[in-house]
Amino acid sequence: MKSLRGRDFLSVADFTSEELRFVIDTAYQLKQRFYAGERVIPVLKGKTLLMIFQKPSTRTRVSFEQAMVQLGGHVMSFNWQELQLGRGETIADTARVLSRYVDGIVARVYKHSDLIELAKYAEIPVINALSDKEHPCQAVGDMLTILEKKGRLKGITLAYVGDGGNNVAHSLILAASKLGVNVRVGTAEGYDPDPDIVKLAEAEAKLNGSYIEIVRKPEEAVKGVDVVYTDVWVSMGQEAEKEKRERDLGKFRVTPELMKLAKEDAIFMHCLPAHRGLEVVDEVIDGPWSVVWDQAENRLHAQKAILALLL
Ligand code: CP
Ligand code: NVA
């Protein structure tokens, strides 16, 4: 396998199955080394990461910053509006200039096309910290979590229940199908994943001996699965559709009754932040099934792997 150095990570589709597995295995090893006492592994000494945010973030922003610290590098973090971007300097000109100063860019944006533009003109790696289309770094941490909890990825069945058309669902579906994880999406009509993503995922799943299916009943989605995953019904930027989305997706709430239809040792996952009482109830997110805090922690180790390999 060729080195990942210098590559962008805008979509899970940017990596082959082998490359994705390599990133996850690297994250696993970095986590083990951290717990064995190596708090800093200075492979990025002298390197600087610049982060730009158009939307709020807790996990992504803090874990990327801490990842750079644990890799011996530096980090700068800005809101979009603080940079001249907020006054209309073009993305292309910004990308050209930043490439002269830093070694990598992490960006959280509304429009995925803005990330593509940034990557087109940047001479350094650009990493997607969430766009309207994908959240690939989340998917790397999630696959690491499933691997840790279940001991394998191939042959695992994951049900994604809720808004099937959002960024987290898209990256999760792509990552799962690249790694031989079966996916059942339980969602309402009008909330299916992007057909292009489904097509890509189906092709990958076929190569890896897994499947992806979309069902309309949450009970059907979770029946006998190893992992139940959900995310918010209203993503950042969709606030105007709040009422309609909550009405349309209302029956996809993850409750103890729903979890009991999954395997006895099934785990519950959520990328967070959660809207307790909407897509998931307290008894599940705080209950015996939940691995959400380990999942959130794994963002840190996943990001270290991504940064170490790309920068
Ligand atoms: N899961 C996730 O990306 O969380 P933040 O929005 O807090 O970064
Ligand atoms: N789908 C959510 C994920 C947040 C991490 C959003 O885009 O708001």
Side-chain angles (χ1 to χ4, degrees):
M1 194 180 65
K2 281 205 312 236
S3 152
L4 292 175
R5 197 157 173 185
R7 294 264 295 271
D8 297 319
F9 190 38
L10 306 187
S11 163
V12 172
D14 292 346
F15 292 166
T16 64
S17 294
E18 193 192 10
E19 288 168 345
L20 185 60
R21 184 64 205 226
F22 180 57
V23 177
I24 293 162
D25 290 342
T26 303
Y28 188 89
Q29 283 162 18
L30 288 170
K31 184 173 181 181
Q32 301 254 310
R33 287 175 64 179
F34 179 80
Y35 277 101
E38 281 187 273
R39 286 191 64 89
V40 179
I41 301 172
V43 292
L44 296 184
K45 192 159 181 257
K47 300 228 171 176
T48 299
L49 177 72
L50 184 136
M51 304 208 288
I52 311 173
F53 287 85
Q54 278 185 344
K55 309 179 191 178
S57 169
T58 297
R59 280 143 288 268
T60 307
R61 185 163 174 169
V62 177
S63 60
F64 261 116
E65 291 210 12
Q66 183 64 347
M68 272 315 267
V69 171
Q70 292 185 6
L71 294 170
H74 291 276
V75 63
M76 300 175 190
S77 188
F78 301 96
N79 292 320
W80 190 273
Q81 293 301 333
E82 284 175 85
L83 301 175
Q84 295 286 11
L85 279 165
R87 290 181 57 246
E89 184 169 19
T90 67
I91 291 175
D93 289 352
T94 305
R96 291 180 180 114
V97 171
L98 294 179
S99 300
R100 302 291 177 103
Y101 297 143
V102 298
D103 302 285
I105 301 173
V106 162
R108 170 169 287 196
V109 298
Y110 285 99
K111 292 196 306 224
H112 192 77
S113 55
D114 283 350
L115 278 180
I116 293 175
E117 179 86 352
L118 194 57
K120 182 173 168 196
Y121 292 99
E123 288 157 29
I124 51 178
V126 175
I127 298 168
N128 180 358
L130 182 143
S131 68
D132 54 352
K133 192 167 172 206
E134 276 206 55
H135 197 2
C137 299
Q138 178 74 48
V140 175
D142 294 345
M143 290 298 137
L144 171 64
T145 306
I146 297 172
L147 180 64
E148 277 181 351
K149 300 293 174 188
K150 295 289 166 193
R152 68 193 164 104
L153 289 169
K154 230 181 164 60
I156 291 292
T157 303
L158 176 151
Y160 178 93
V161 185
D163 178 11
N166 79 14
N167 38 23
V168 168
H170 285 159
S171 292
L172 192 68
I173 291 166
L174 285 173
S177 55
K178 277 185 183 283
L179 297 164
V181 174
N182 304 311
V183 182
R184 273 192 233 147
V185 179
T187 192
E189 227 164 294
Y191 295 86
D192 285 352
D194 182 322
D196 290 340
I197 302 258
V198 176
K199 219 161 120 190
L200 257 176
E202 275 171 345
E204 290 286 348
K206 205 166 157 197
L207 289 175
N208 296 302
S210 58
Y211 66 80
I212 160 163
E213 64 186 23
I214 300 174
V215 298
R216 296 282 173 241
K217 289 199 180 107
E219 296 80 10
E220 197 184 337
V222 303
K223 197 158 182 264
V225 300
D226 302 284
V227 182
V228 176
Y229 197 118
T230 193
D231 182 17
V232 293
W233 296 336
V234 183
S235 285
M236 290 179 274
Q238 298 175 330
E239 289 76 11
E241 297 167 33
K242 186 173 182 296
E243 270 174 35
K244 177 174 165 42
R245 290 182 151 268
E246 289 180 5
R247 203 171 47 237
D248 292 349
L249 293 167
K251 71 170 180 181
F252 294 91
R253 176 168 300 132
V254 182
T255 60
E257 293 69 42
L258 199 67
M259 286 305 301
K260 282 176 196 151
L261 300 175
K263 273 200 188 137
E264 212 180 312
D265 63 352
I267 55 173
F268 170 76
M269 297 178 73
H270 191 311
C271 59
L272 305 176
H275 289 103
R276 289 166 176 261
L278 289 176
E279 75 274 4
V280 61
V281 299
D282 289 345
E283 297 93 299
V284 172
I285 197 167
D286 298 326
W289 306 278
S290 179
V291 301
V292 299
W293 315 121
D294 292 336
Q295 182 186 358
E297 176 188 339
N298 281 342
R299 296 293 308 280
L300 169 63
H301 307 292
Q303 254 105 258
K304 280 191 286 186
I306 294 164
L307 291 169
L309 295 171
L310 268 52
L311 266 57

